Amino acid sequence: MRRTPLELAAIATAAVPGLSPTAAAYSPDDDADFDSALLLDAEGKRWRVRSPRHPEASTRLETEFMVLRAFAPAIRAELPFHVPTIAGTVRQGALTTFVYAHLQGSVLSIEELSAGSPALARDVGAALAAVHDLPLTLVTNADLPSYSANEFRQRKLNELDQAATTGKIPATLLRRWEHALEDVALWRFNPSVVHGDLHEDNLMVQEDAVTALTGWTDLRIGDPADDFAWLVASNEASFVESVLSHYIQARRELPDAHLLRRAALLAEFALAQYLVKAMAAGHQSMTAEAESMLQTLADDIDEQVRRDKEAAQAAEDEAAELRASELRASELRASDSPADKPAVSVAAIPDTESESSQEGDSSAATRHDDTSTAAISVVSVTPLHVAERP
């Protein structure tokens, strides 16, 4: 049963001695896993309460507790944003509720983020870069998951096999994801620290600046594309490009060329993971929602493939028509060329000896038609214009 903000406020007073909430409101969160609320106390201070809805979610919060303890003051000081501080906990049966000192800023929708100023896109990119540049020892010392590039790819293949067993994944998507996961070149990246659960609800923003990152329940070493999946899923192309540009500038090492392609794949595959999770929890409405989203995605991909084929065929037809047109023009030029016309006009030069021998007979010669070359004047030889040559 979902807890109301007032119920969470009562739980928070048990977690933080002396806390006297005067107001409570709903706080955006992963609703399938957590009940969350924002509290205001008598001194005007704000607090956040996160209460798990099942044991697995409680384990995630306990993992986050270890993660936040690993953020030593020196590491926190180097980050361009704030990291939550846990003010208290209270255990109820198998579940543990956590209360955090509230951070400045507010949660914006992806539409509000993408419509923000260039400074906001720069801050989002810088925040992502700062996470991915965290020392790997932060994860290894806390005994959190760590995956090489190939291990991460194999993990996704195993998850795909598990999703396929549900029988509810459209064949178009299964083929698409399998081909992508088998493309080893696509999965060549340098593993880094990743937030693992980054989305707009875990981003605190104030005056076009990222003030804090929350929701550190899935910190690990793995694929940095994980933290870009929520951006790619937004379909806000210009915002994604701007964030990526600033991210590349802020990173200490150059990201791999396929980062956004993998992020797009991971964004799609998240729907299959959502389906598996919903079915495991026996949540019928979530299962139906996941099936609907998967089918919509499959239909969109089929439509895009059809359009791509039509565009490719149109381009091929246009190229063939262009080649035929050029061939016809070439044949027409060839038919107009003076193929039988000599390159130069030549007049025969008269024989001098013939003239001398026939001087005495000139009167007789004039009585006949003169067809000899002696009567042809010598003319200048003028070449034909180059364009007129065959």
Side-chain angles (χ1 to χ4, degrees):
M1 182 179 295
R2 185 173 299 280
R3 295 181 176 90
T4 67
L6 289 178
E7 290 173 326
L8 292 174
I11 295 173
T13 59
V16 182
L19 175 60
S20 300
T22 58
Y26 168 77
S27 174
D29 211 326
D30 298 328
D31 290 340
D33 296 329
F34 306 104
D35 296 321
S36 297
L38 291 178
L39 309 179
L40 182 68
D41 67 12
E43 297 179 359
K45 294 181 180 179
R46 296 174 180 269
W47 309 79
R48 189 186 187 201
V49 187
R50 297 187 84 191
S51 184
R53 305 197 70 199
H54 50 80
E56 190 271 334
S58 184
T59 300
R60 289 176 60 193
L61 289 182
E62 290 166 4
T63 299
E64 182 184 38
F65 180 64
M66 292 189 299
V67 169
L68 295 178
R69 285 197 305 179
F71 279 97
I75 294 177
R76 289 175 180 252
E78 292 182 0
L79 293 173
F81 51 80
H82 293 291
V83 174
T85 299
I86 295 177
T89 64
V90 59
R91 193 167 185 86
Q92 297 173 299
L95 308 179
T96 302
T97 295
F98 286 73
V99 180
Y100 305 80
H102 184 57
L103 299 166
Q104 292 298 319
S106 57
V107 173
L108 301 181
S109 68
I110 188 63
E111 291 79 14
E112 292 171 323
L113 286 173
S114 60
S117 70
L120 181 55
R122 182 187 64 238
D123 251 36
V124 174
L128 284 166
V131 172
H132 297 167
D133 281 336
L134 283 168
L136 301 182
T137 53
L138 179 71
V139 173
T140 56
N141 290 346
D143 199 26
L144 296 172
S146 176
Y147 305 98
S148 67
N150 189 57
E151 287 172 342
F152 184 82
R153 184 179 71 89
Q154 189 59 54
R155 182 171 178 242
K156 292 301 175 185
L157 278 169
N158 295 339
E159 291 176 357
L160 178 60
D161 290 340
Q162 181 184 10
T165 61
T166 65
K168 297 181 180 295
I169 308 294
T172 294
L173 298 181
L174 288 176
R175 290 192 301 268
R176 176 182 175 86
W177 296 339
E178 185 177 10
H179 291 164
L181 288 167
E182 289 177 349
D183 182 2
V184 178
L186 185 64
W187 300 90
R188 290 176 181 152
F189 60 86
N190 290 329
S192 69
V193 174
V194 296
H195 182 282
D197 189 32
L198 196 58
H199 48 78
E200 61 270 28
D201 289 345
N202 287 333
L203 211 64
M204 306 294 291
V205 177
Q206 186 176 42
E207 296 180 355
D208 286 337
V210 175
T211 56
L213 290 187
T214 62
W216 296 86
T217 57
D218 294 306
L219 191 75
R220 56 181 176 266
I221 295 174
D223 187 357
D226 255 350
D227 289 342
F228 277 87
W230 68 285
L231 279 171
V232 176
S234 71
N235 292 319
E236 300 288 349
S238 60
F239 181 63
V240 174
E241 290 173 3
S242 181
V243 170
L244 179 63
S245 174
H246 292 297
Y247 169 81
I248 292 172
Q249 293 175 21
R251 279 297 308 268
R252 292 174 187 161
E253 65 176 45
L254 187 66
D256 68 280
H258 301 302
L259 185 145
L260 285 188
R261 287 185 61 197
R262 292 196 310 279
L265 173 68
L266 294 171
E268 293 179 7
F269 192 62
L271 296 180
Q273 295 171 308
Y274 181 59
L275 172 68
V276 171
K277 185 176 182 178
M279 293 183 67
H283 203 302
Q284 294 183 356
S285 62
M286 284 176 56
T287 299
E289 181 184 28
E291 287 186 75
S292 176
M293 290 189 294
L294 285 164
Q295 189 57 56
T296 299
L297 175 61
D299 292 341
D300 289 344
I301 290 173
D302 287 338
E303 177 64 17
Q304 186 60 50
V305 169
R306 184 187 65 79
R307 291 178 181 174
D308 290 344
K309 286 182 178 179
E310 289 179 352
Q313 184 61 51
E316 185 177 339
D317 293 344
E318 183 178 355
E321 178 60 28
L322 180 60
R323 289 193 297 269
S325 177
E326 291 176 347
L327 179 59
R328 289 193 297 270
S330 177
E331 292 173 347
L332 183 60
R333 287 193 298 270
S335 65
D336 290 341
S337 298
D340 298 327
K341 189 175 183 179
V344 294
S345 299
V346 180
I349 299 177
D351 190 331
T352 306
E353 291 184 325
S354 298
E355 287 185 356
S356 301
S357 63
Q358 294 178 6
E359 283 180 355
D361 302 326
S362 58
S363 58
T366 56
R367 292 192 296 269
H368 303 282
D369 291 334
D370 192 349
T371 58
S372 71
T373 58
I376 302 177
S377 302
V378 177
V379 297
S380 300
V381 178
T382 305
L384 296 175
H385 193 275
V386 174
E388 296 177 349
R389 296 182 181 179

Tab-separated table of all heavy atoms in Angstrom, residues 342-349 376-384:
chain	number	residue	atom	x	y	z
A	342	PRO	N	37.910	16.491	-92.308
A	342	PRO	CA	39.329	16.465	-91.954
A	342	PRO	C	39.644	17.549	-90.937
A	342	PRO	O	38.987	18.579	-90.874
A	342	PRO	CB	40.029	16.723	-93.285
A	342	PRO	CG	39.040	17.454	-94.097
A	342	PRO	CD	37.706	16.886	-93.713
A	343	ALA	N	40.663	17.311	-90.188
A	343	ALA	CA	41.064	18.277	-89.190
A	343	ALA	C	41.612	19.552	-89.811
A	343	ALA	O	41.564	20.613	-89.209
A	343	ALA	CB	42.100	17.667	-88.254
A	344	VAL	N	42.185	19.476	-91.064
A	344	VAL	CA	42.722	20.660	-91.735
A	344	VAL	C	42.275	20.650	-93.180
A	344	VAL	O	41.929	19.611	-93.740
A	344	VAL	CB	44.268	20.697	-91.671
A	344	VAL	CG1	44.743	20.868	-90.248
A	344	VAL	CG2	44.861	19.447	-92.301
A	345	SER	N	42.269	21.831	-93.818
A	345	SER	CA	41.996	21.937	-95.259
A	345	SER	C	43.330	22.053	-95.991
A	345	SER	O	44.148	22.919	-95.665
A	345	SER	CB	41.150	23.191	-95.553
A	345	SER	OG	39.917	23.092	-94.883
A	346	VAL	N	43.577	21.169	-97.004
A	346	VAL	CA	44.882	21.103	-97.674
A	346	VAL	C	44.702	21.385	-99.168
A	346	VAL	O	43.850	20.792	-99.824
A	346	VAL	CB	45.548	19.728	-97.488
A	346	VAL	CG1	46.897	19.698	-98.198
A	346	VAL	CG2	45.693	19.421	-96.008
A	347	ALA	N	45.518	22.282	-99.725
A	347	ALA	CA	45.554	22.540	-101.173
A	347	ALA	C	46.845	21.998	-101.738
A	347	ALA	O	47.918	22.164	-101.134
A	347	ALA	CB	45.451	24.031	-101.453
A	348	ALA	N	46.788	21.336	-102.921
A	348	ALA	CA	47.998	20.730	-103.524
A	348	ALA	C	48.955	21.820	-103.992
A	348	ALA	O	48.554	22.866	-104.519
A	348	ALA	CB	47.620	19.854	-104.697
A	349	ILE	N	50.241	21.576	-103.827
A	349	ILE	CA	51.276	22.520	-104.275
A	349	ILE	C	51.634	22.198	-105.719
A	349	ILE	O	51.898	21.046	-106.046
A	349	ILE	CB	52.525	22.414	-103.396
A	349	ILE	CG1	52.151	22.760	-101.933
A	349	ILE	CG2	53.641	23.335	-103.901
A	349	ILE	CD1	53.279	22.615	-100.977
A	376	ILE	N	45.661	25.823	-109.354
A	376	ILE	CA	45.135	26.034	-107.994
A	376	ILE	C	46.126	26.871	-107.205
A	376	ILE	O	47.299	26.547	-107.129
A	376	ILE	CB	44.869	24.692	-107.285
A	376	ILE	CG1	43.879	23.870	-108.099
A	376	ILE	CG2	44.378	24.923	-105.871
A	376	ILE	CD1	43.606	22.522	-107.537
A	377	SER	N	45.673	27.950	-106.679
A	377	SER	CA	46.536	28.821	-105.889
A	377	SER	C	46.921	28.143	-104.572
A	377	SER	O	46.155	27.361	-103.979
A	377	SER	CB	45.825	30.134	-105.593
A	377	SER	OG	45.463	30.763	-106.794
A	378	VAL	N	48.070	28.434	-104.054
A	378	VAL	CA	48.511	27.922	-102.753
A	378	VAL	C	47.841	28.772	-101.684
A	378	VAL	O	47.919	30.006	-101.718
A	378	VAL	CB	50.043	27.998	-102.622
A	378	VAL	CG1	50.490	27.535	-101.238
A	378	VAL	CG2	50.702	27.186	-103.702
A	379	VAL	N	47.188	28.131	-100.774
A	379	VAL	CA	46.473	28.842	-99.702
A	379	VAL	C	47.057	28.491	-98.349
A	379	VAL	O	47.736	27.480	-98.184
A	379	VAL	CB	44.968	28.521	-99.734
A	379	VAL	CG1	44.360	28.997	-101.035
A	379	VAL	CG2	44.729	27.042	-99.511
A	380	SER	N	46.727	29.356	-97.364
A	380	SER	CA	47.162	29.069	-95.991
A	380	SER	C	46.349	27.926	-95.395
A	380	SER	O	45.134	27.820	-95.635
A	380	SER	CB	47.006	30.320	-95.104
A	380	SER	OG	47.784	31.383	-95.623
A	381	VAL	N	46.983	27.083	-94.602
A	381	VAL	CA	46.313	25.944	-93.940
A	381	VAL	C	45.787	26.405	-92.590
A	381	VAL	O	46.544	26.812	-91.720
A	381	VAL	CB	47.273	24.759	-93.778
A	381	VAL	CG1	46.577	23.619	-93.053
A	381	VAL	CG2	47.794	24.325	-95.122
A	382	THR	N	44.475	26.367	-92.429
A	382	THR	CA	43.854	26.802	-91.166
A	382	THR	C	43.239	25.613	-90.440
A	382	THR	O	42.288	24.994	-90.950
A	382	THR	CB	42.753	27.835	-91.434
A	382	THR	OG1	43.329	28.917	-92.190
A	382	THR	CG2	42.161	28.359	-90.133
A	383	PRO	N	43.739	25.210	-89.266
A	383	PRO	CA	43.164	24.059	-88.527
A	383	PRO	C	41.732	24.356	-88.112
A	383	PRO	O	41.359	25.500	-87.858
A	383	PRO	CB	44.060	23.928	-87.309
A	383	PRO	CG	45.298	24.703	-87.639
A	383	PRO	CD	44.868	25.811	-88.558
A	384	LEU	N	40.941	23.285	-88.018
A	384	LEU	CA	39.587	23.429	-87.482
A	384	LEU	C	39.652	23.704	-85.991
A	384	LEU	O	40.601	23.346	-85.293
A	384	LEU	CB	38.774	22.162	-87.732
A	384	LEU	CG	38.512	21.812	-89.211
A	384	LEU	CD1	37.823	20.479	-89.283
A	384	LEU	CD2	37.678	22.902	-89.853
